[in-house]
Amino acid sequence: MIYLTRRERFNAAHRLYRKEWSDDKNSEVFGKCSNPNWHGHNYVLLVTVKGEPDPETGFLVNIKILSSLVNRCVIDKLDHKNINIEVDFMKDKIATTENLTISIWEILEPEVLKLGCQLHSIRIEETENNFAEYFGNRH
Amino acid sequence: MIYLTRRERFNAAHRLYRKEWSDDKNSEVFGKCSNPNWHGHNYVLLVTVKGEPDPETGFLVNIKILSSLVNRCVIDKLDHKNINIEVDFMKDKIATTENLTISIWEILEPEVLKLGCQLHSIRIEETENNFAEYFGNRH
Amino acid sequence: MIYLTRRERFNAAHRLYRKEWSDDKNSEVFGKCSNPNWHGHNYVLLVTVKGEPDPETGFLVNIKILSSLVNRCVIDKLDHKNINIEVDFMKDKIATTENLTISIWEILEPEVLKLGCQLHSIRIEETENNFAEYFGNRH
Amino acid sequence: MIYLTRRERFNAAHRLYRKEWSDDKNSEVFGKCSNPNWHGHNYVLLVTVKGEPDPETGFLVNIKILSSLVNRCVIDKLDHKNINIEVDFMKDKIATTENLTISIWEILEPEVLKLGCQLHSIRIEETENNFAEYFGNRH
Amino acid sequence: MIYLTRRERFNAAHRLYRKEWSDDKNSEVFGKCSNPNWHGHNYVLLVTVKGEPDPETGFLVNIKILSSLVNRCVIDKLDHKNINIEVDFMKDKIATTENLTISIWEILEPEVLKLGCQLHSIRIEETENNFAEYFGNRH
Amino acid sequence: MIYLTRRERFNAAHRLYRKEWSDDKNSEVFGKCSNPNWHGHNYVLLVTVKGEPDPETGFLVNIKILSSLVNRCVIDKLDHKNINIEVDFMKDKIATTENLTISIWEILEPEVLKLGCQLHSIRIEETENNFAEYFGNRH
């Protein structure tokens, strides 16, 4: 089994808060990440798929097709967007890096299967110091 | 003359637009950077100062003091903020990387002089592919 | 299960050698790393924890609390220190990257449990080309 | 068990194509990577080995010996070479990153055993966005 | 005056040699870079332009337009190509990083003027350790 | 004129202090950098030379010869050494990054001239956030 990773990037605004909490409570839990006027990041997304390389092409999957898929299903919906307001798959979820990786996994898992391989992990780097990674609910 | 650079980072939301323009005109000129719901970046700021090292300490300037200055005067005002709404020195300016470098220069130039050296340049990296740099109005 | 990683850095001096060996033997085994006058590194430490995100906050753990913990228990004891002489948890151990990762694991594992998640791995990058990683004694 | 990684680099030319296919078919499947005049990359190779650290030295393996091994068996054969024409272990294989990782695994696995540890993974970064990783045929 | 930099990348094959020299002489001067079977790199290109920001937009130049220009005039001609054989502006020139920067300068200088600003420098990073930079024939 | 840069690295121990000052005074001025038991860094050194490329080779200078020169004159004296104790050209100087750049300039300037080009700058990166650069006493 070979593991293949495609790195993509998106720039987005977000805010960490719970609607039903007061501003004070949000600020206490989420700190300056709960700023009601938003802040943002250059997110790095790493999509890892796995499977057997095709003996005819030596490719696990054509990485350009994988990149197109990730752009169409994920990046186009997140890039230069407000994650809390504009991103359908993050609706009613708190916009943490943890929740982003799970939501992106759920979108990409069935799509990657159609390419003839399996999704192995979704990793998001929010800053140069903070990363989250999800391997699906079997791990 | 020695040149000393301190790298700092801030995460902020912004939007590129001109109030007096229609949404269509803003979108035509600024593209997806004019999204009314904001987007954001992990900005990298590089502050370069110059002068003669102090023969007693071998320091041009104590870089921790330089870092404190940059944090107090610039980073604390930008980090986890909305550049268009919350940052006094960007008020009524379009929130481009170019304008950010000029505004930060204007704030830091007199302060750096008080540390006994001169400001040489302000560089901002908005993404891993786009950078702006300003050397003051003598260049 | 979600995996969350915090990156921290420390700058330290060290020397690789065995007290009971002659200088020649130390030099033969450890090369220039056994220089009796010390040398040093900018170490990068990556702490990965795992668990279920809290449905109320979307956080596996508040990464600022994790960062404070790592700074208090590990970075403050290593940064700008001599690993062989000044670091209690490296006493009587050879100051290799391998031993550092194991010792840091032992310190952080019980502390991370108190935050409601599990320690998954400790990774140290000694130079841009040499890394060690430890997953505890179950791997 | 400790995991130790050595990073090495090589610069090589290659071309993706199947001899028995027409130029049109090659171009359709491999895109501009099938250019008959070649193109090339700065490849990054990450070799991860695992085992118990030697209690006498604190080393899993002396990383200089590991580096020499990787240079002698792999880098010297790939660096400043044409992968399709000049690299014996890639003969009659399509020069994809996937196939490179498998071939390098096969070369290094028995050699690493002789150093007293096991090969854990071979990772190749072809560009800053595309990576492949192989863990042997047990994964 | 503001300096704005756009980073682009291209992957290409090349060979350093002088037609009129013997293989031995080429090998003596250029070492393994003269391999007749080619080798290649992931080149990084940094294009820096300078001028006054437009007071209406806050842009020195719309960096997407600059990026399109660089892609159309330079990247499309170099990416996934053989620099010695297929790149018109490198014909009859030795394919060194130095010569590449000068040739790209000559192509981009008049084009950048049409965007209303001046070309300041062309920088090429051939590997993570080797870079060349050209500021035009006035420096 | 072309500018060519070679990047090299060295790992060393150092301490910032003035012999004639008390420990308290040293600690007040230099903070934890004055730790008497030393600390250390992975230093990055960037040597930039300038001149006209040789029309016969397209090289400003053969970068391997430049690299050998820098290794022989500078890196071999600093790598895995204690800068305060073991480095002849830093004797009686405070081991700041500023002083290192000046001392390395003084060593390399005459040597680079013998290669047929001029030294343009010496840049040292002490950490990922702190850099010093020196252009000789004409700047």
Side-chain angles (χ1 to χ4, degrees):
Chain A
M1 212 168 228
I2 277 281
Y3 295 71
L4 194 71
T5 300
R6 176 69 188 177
R7 178 180 176 270
E8 303 282 349
R9 297 175 294 119
F10 60 94
N11 310 322
H14 79 147
R15 177 195 173 190
L16 300 184
Y17 76 113
R18 253 192 109 73
K19 262 183 306 206
E20 55 270 45
W21 286 353
S22 68
D23 280 2
D24 279 3
K25 172 82 189 233
N26 273 308
S27 178
E28 186 198 318
V29 174
F30 296 113
K32 53 187 179 174
C33 297
S34 73
N35 178 358
N37 291 315
W38 320 99
H39 67 284
H41 296 288
N42 299 344
Y43 290 91
V44 175
L45 168 65
L46 293 141
V47 176
T48 301
V49 299
K50 63 185 170 190
E52 300 293 334
D54 178 337
E56 250 201 349
T57 61
F59 277 159
L60 169 56
V61 61
N62 186 322
I63 208 158
K64 283 191 190 160
I65 292 173
L66 178 62
S67 170
S68 299
L69 173 71
V70 175
N71 274 280
R72 182 167 40 83
C73 299
V74 178
I75 301 297
D76 290 353
K77 293 183 176 173
L78 284 163
D79 190 38
H80 283 75
K81 291 283 160 44
N82 184 308
I83 297 175
N84 300 66
I85 296 177
E86 296 177 296
V87 179
D88 55 1
F89 60 80
M90 291 302 291
K91 226 188 137 174
D92 297 323
K93 295 177 190 166
I94 297 178
T96 59
T97 317
E98 289 92 324
N99 282 342
L100 264 174
T101 58
I102 297 173
S103 296
I104 292 171
W105 172 280
E106 284 163 359
I107 291 165
L108 287 179
E109 199 195 21
E111 299 300 324
V112 163
L113 274 176
K114 294 179 200 162
L115 298 182
C117 53
Q118 297 170 58
L119 188 57
H120 175 68
S121 66
I122 295 297
R123 178 182 169 101
I124 293 180
E125 305 181 351
E126 193 189 50
T127 70
E128 68 187 38
N129 294 329
N130 297 342
F131 325 134
E133 194 163 18
Y134 185 59
F135 299 83
N137 57 17
R138 292 172 306 256
H139 283 253
Chain B
M1 210 168 230
I2 278 279
Y3 294 71
L4 195 70
T5 299
R6 177 68 188 176
R7 178 179 174 273
E8 302 283 351
R9 296 175 297 119
F10 60 94
N11 309 324
H14 80 147
R15 178 196 172 188
L16 300 184
Y17 77 112
R18 254 194 108 71
K19 260 184 307 208
E20 55 270 46
W21 286 354
S22 68
D23 280 1
D24 279 1
K25 174 80 190 235
N26 273 309
S27 176
E28 185 198 320
V29 173
F30 296 112
K32 52 188 180 172
C33 296
S34 73
N35 178 358
N37 290 316
W38 320 100
H39 67 285
H41 296 288
N42 298 344
Y43 290 91
V44 175
L45 168 65
L46 294 142
V47 175
T48 301
V49 300
K50 63 185 170 190
E52 300 292 335
D54 178 336
E56 252 203 348
T57 61
F59 278 159
L60 169 55
V61 61
N62 186 323
I63 207 157
K64 282 190 190 164
I65 293 173
L66 177 62
S67 171
S68 300
L69 172 71
V70 175
N71 273 281
R72 182 167 38 84
C73 299
V74 178
I75 300 298
D76 290 353
K77 294 183 175 172
L78 284 162
D79 191 36
H80 284 73
K81 291 282 162 41
N82 184 309
I83 299 176
N84 300 69
I85 296 177
E86 297 177 295
V87 180
D88 56 359
F89 60 80
M90 290 302 292
K91 226 189 139 172
D92 299 322
K93 294 176 191 168
I94 297 178
T96 59
T97 317
E98 290 93 325
N99 281 343
L100 265 174
T101 58
I102 298 173
S103 295
I104 292 172
W105 173 281
E106 284 163 2
I107 292 166
L108 288 180
E109 199 194 21
E111 299 300 325
V112 163
L113 275 175
K114 293 178 200 162
L115 299 182
C117 54
Q118 297 171 57
L119 188 57
H120 175 66
S121 66
I122 295 296
R123 178 183 170 103
I124 293 180
E125 304 180 351
E126 195 190 47
T127 69
E128 69 187 37
N129 295 327
N130 297 342
F131 324 134
E133 193 163 19
Y134 185 58
F135 298 84
N137 57 18
R138 291 172 308 257
H139 283 254
Chain C
M1 210 169 232
I2 276 281
Y3 294 72
L4 195 70
T5 300
R6 177 66 188 178
R7 178 180 174 270
E8 302 283 350
R9 296 175 297 119
F10 60 95
N11 310 323
H14 80 146
R15 177 196 173 191
L16 300 184
Y17 78 111
R18 254 192 110 70
K19 262 185 304 207
E20 55 271 44
W21 287 353
S22 68
D23 280 3
D24 280 1
K25 172 81 191 236
N26 273 308
S27 178
E28 188 198 316
V29 173
F30 296 113
K32 52 188 181 174
C33 297
S34 72
N35 179 359
N37 291 313
W38 320 100
H39 68 284
H41 296 289
N42 299 343
Y43 291 91
V44 175
L45 168 65
L46 293 142
V47 176
T48 301
V49 300
K50 63 186 171 190
E52 300 292 333
D54 178 336
E56 248 201 351
T57 61
F59 278 159
L60 170 57
V61 61
N62 186 324
I63 207 156
K64 283 191 190 162
I65 293 173
L66 177 62
S67 171
S68 299
L69 172 71
V70 175
N71 273 280
R72 182 165 41 81
C73 298
V74 179
I75 300 297
D76 290 353
K77 294 184 174 172
L78 284 163
D79 190 36
H80 284 74
K81 291 282 162 39
N82 185 309
I83 298 175
N84 300 67
I85 296 177
E86 297 177 296
V87 179
D88 55 1
F89 60 81
M90 291 302 292
K91 226 187 138 173
D92 298 322
K93 295 177 191 166
I94 298 179
T96 58
T97 316
E98 289 93 326
N99 282 341
L100 265 174
T101 57
I102 297 173
S103 296
I104 293 171
W105 173 281
E106 285 163 0
I107 292 166
L108 288 180
E109 199 195 20
E111 298 300 325
V112 163
L113 275 175
K114 294 180 201 161
L115 298 183
C117 52
Q118 297 171 60
L119 188 57
H120 174 68
S121 67
I122 295 297
R123 178 183 169 101
I124 293 181
E125 304 181 351
E126 193 190 50
T127 70
E128 67 187 39
N129 295 328
N130 297 343
F131 325 133
E133 193 162 19
Y134 186 57
F135 298 85
N137 56 17
R138 292 172 306 256
H139 283 255
Chain D
M1 210 167 229
I2 276 279
Y3 295 71
L4 194 70
T5 300
R6 177 67 188 178
R7 177 182 175 270
E8 302 283 349
R9 295 175 297 119
F10 60 95
N11 310 323
H14 80 147
R15 177 196 172 188
L16 300 183
Y17 77 112
R18 249 190 114 71
K19 259 183 307 207
E20 55 270 46
W21 287 353
S22 68
D23 281 3
D24 279 4
K25 173 80 191 239
N26 274 306
S27 177
E28 187 198 318
V29 174
F30 296 112
K32 53 189 181 175
C33 296
S34 73
N35 179 358
N37 291 313
W38 319 100
H39 68 285
H41 296 288
N42 299 344
Y43 290 90
V44 175
L45 169 64
L46 294 141
V47 176
T48 302
V49 300
K50 62 184 171 191
E52 300 293 333
D54 178 338
E56 250 203 348
T57 61
F59 277 159
L60 169 57
V61 61
N62 186 323
I63 208 157
K64 282 188 193 164
I65 292 173
L66 177 63
S67 171
S68 299
L69 172 71
V70 175
N71 273 280
R72 181 166 41 82
C73 300
V74 178
I75 301 297
D76 290 353
K77 293 182 176 173
L78 284 163
D79 191 35
H80 284 74
K81 290 284 162 37
N82 184 309
I83 298 176
N84 300 66
I85 296 176
E86 297 177 295
V87 180
D88 55 359
F89 60 81
M90 290 302 289
K91 227 188 135 173
D92 298 322
K93 295 177 191 166
I94 296 178
T96 59
T97 316
E98 289 92 326
N99 281 341
L100 265 174
T101 57
I102 297 174
S103 296
I104 293 171
W105 173 280
E106 284 163 1
I107 292 166
L108 288 178
E109 199 195 20
E111 299 299 325
V112 163
L113 274 175
K114 294 179 200 162
L115 298 183
C117 53
Q118 298 171 58
L119 187 57
H120 175 68
S121 66
I122 295 296
R123 178 182 169 103
I124 293 181
E125 304 181 351
E126 194 190 50
T127 70
E128 68 186 40
N129 294 329
N130 297 342
F131 325 133
E133 194 163 20
Y134 185 58
F135 298 84
N137 57 18
R138 292 173 306 257
H139 285 255
Chain E
M1 209 170 231
I2 276 279
Y3 295 70
L4 195 70
T5 299
R6 177 69 190 176
R7 179 179 175 271
E8 302 282 350
R9 296 174 297 121
F10 60 95
N11 309 324
H14 81 145
R15 178 196 170 188
L16 300 184
Y17 78 113
R18 254 192 108 72
K19 260 184 305 209
E20 55 271 44
W21 286 353
S22 67
D23 280 2
D24 279 3
K25 173 80 190 234
N26 273 309
S27 176
E28 187 199 317
V29 174
F30 296 113
K32 54 187 180 176
C33 296
S34 73
N35 179 359
N37 290 315
W38 320 100
H39 67 284
H41 296 288
N42 298 345
Y43 290 92
V44 174
L45 168 64
L46 294 142
V47 175
T48 302
V49 299
K50 63 186 170 189
E52 300 292 336
D54 179 336
E56 250 202 348
T57 61
F59 277 159
L60 170 54
V61 60
N62 186 323
I63 208 157
K64 282 191 190 163
I65 292 173
L66 178 62
S67 171
S68 299
L69 173 70
V70 175
N71 274 281
R72 182 167 39 84
C73 298
V74 178
I75 301 298
D76 290 353
K77 292 181 176 174
L78 284 162
D79 190 36
H80 284 73
K81 291 283 161 45
N82 184 309
I83 299 176
N84 299 67
I85 296 176
E86 296 177 295
V87 179
D88 56 358
F89 61 81
M90 290 302 290
K91 225 189 138 171
D92 299 322
K93 295 177 189 167
I94 296 178
T96 59
T97 316
E98 290 93 324
N99 281 344
L100 265 175
T101 57
I102 298 173
S103 295
I104 292 171
W105 172 280
E106 284 164 1
I107 291 165
L108 287 180
E109 199 195 20
E111 299 301 324
V112 162
L113 274 175
K114 293 178 200 163
L115 299 183
C117 54
Q118 297 170 59
L119 187 57
H120 175 67
S121 66
I122 296 296
R123 178 183 169 101
I124 293 180
E125 303 181 351
E126 195 191 48
T127 69
E128 68 187 37
N129 294 328
N130 297 342
F131 324 134
E133 194 163 20
Y134 186 58
F135 298 85
N137 57 18
R138 291 171 309 255
H139 283 254
Chain F
M1 209 168 231
I2 277 278
Y3 294 72
L4 196 69
T5 300
R6 178 69 189 175
R7 179 178 174 272
E8 303 282 350
R9 296 175 297 120
F10 60 95
N11 309 323
H14 79 147
R15 177 196 172 189
L16 300 184
Y17 77 113
R18 253 193 109 70
K19 265 185 302 211
E20 54 271 46
W21 287 353
S22 68
D23 281 2
D24 280 2
K25 173 79 189 234
N26 274 308
S27 177
E28 184 198 321
V29 174
F30 296 112
K32 54 187 179 175
C33 296
S34 74
N35 179 357
N37 291 314
W38 321 100
H39 67 284
H41 296 288
N42 299 344
Y43 290 92
V44 174
L45 168 65
L46 294 142
V47 176
T48 301
V49 300
K50 64 186 170 189
E52 300 292 336
D54 179 335
E56 250 202 348
T57 60
F59 276 160
L60 170 55
V61 62
N62 186 322
I63 206 156
K64 283 188 191 165
I65 294 173
L66 178 62
S67 170
S68 300
L69 172 71
V70 175
N71 274 282
R72 182 167 40 84
C73 299
V74 178
I75 300 298
D76 290 353
K77 294 183 175 172
L78 284 161
D79 190 36
H80 284 74
K81 292 282 161 40
N82 184 309
I83 298 175
N84 299 66
I85 296 176
E86 296 178 295
V87 180
D88 57 358
F89 60 80
M90 290 302 292
K91 227 190 135 169
D92 299 323
K93 294 176 191 168
I94 297 178
T96 58
T97 317
E98 289 93 325
N99 282 344
L100 264 174
T101 58
I102 297 173
S103 295
I104 293 172
W105 172 280
E106 284 163 2
I107 292 166
L108 287 180
E109 197 194 21
E111 299 300 324
V112 163
L113 274 175
K114 293 178 200 163
L115 298 182
C117 55
Q118 298 170 59
L119 187 57
H120 175 67
S121 66
I122 295 297
R123 176 182 170 103
I124 293 181
E125 303 180 353
E126 196 190 47
T127 70
E128 68 186 39
N129 294 328
N130 296 343
F131 325 133
E133 194 163 19
Y134 185 58
F135 299 85
N137 57 18
R138 293 172 306 256
H139 283 254

